Amino acid sequence: MLILYIVIQQLESYWLTPTVMAKQVALLPAVTLTAQIFFATIFGALGLLIALPLTVVAKTWIEEALFQDILDRWKSAAS
């Protein structure tokens, strides 16, 4: 049972979770790593835990505010 538990845990940790995160979040690996280093340097261990959620929030906010609100209005005004 212990070996089965370890195998299942490793599959989930190294294959399933990264695959789901890549499809749902769509962050580049370099952005994820940079965010983890940045937040860990500033906030320590807590920063490492909250790095990915804060990065996803920032990415979503930038996409909504910049691309949809500002650039869509600018594109329709130029037409």
Side-chain angles (χ1 to χ4, degrees):
M1 277 312 273
L2 182 61
I3 292 172
L4 182 62
Y5 175 77
I6 291 172
V7 168
I8 291 172
Q9 182 65 33
Q10 294 300 314
L11 283 172
E12 190 268 336
S13 295
Y14 291 108
W15 181 75
L16 184 63
T17 300
T19 303
V20 170
M21 291 297 287
K23 289 184 182 195
Q24 293 297 319
V25 176
L27 280 179
L28 295 173
V31 173
T32 302
L33 183 60
T34 304
Q36 288 176 336
I37 291 170
F38 174 76
F39 284 109
T41 302
I42 303 268
F43 300 112
L46 179 62
L48 189 58
L49 291 174
I50 64 172
L52 190 58
L54 288 177
T55 305
V56 170
V57 168
K59 176 187 177 245
T60 304
W61 182 77
I62 289 169
E63 285 177 346
E64 291 292 323
L66 181 64
F67 296 135
Q68 292 183 358
D69 291 345
I70 296 172
L71 293 180
D72 281 349
R73 243 185 271 151
W74 181 66
K75 182 180 173 184
S76 63
S79 297

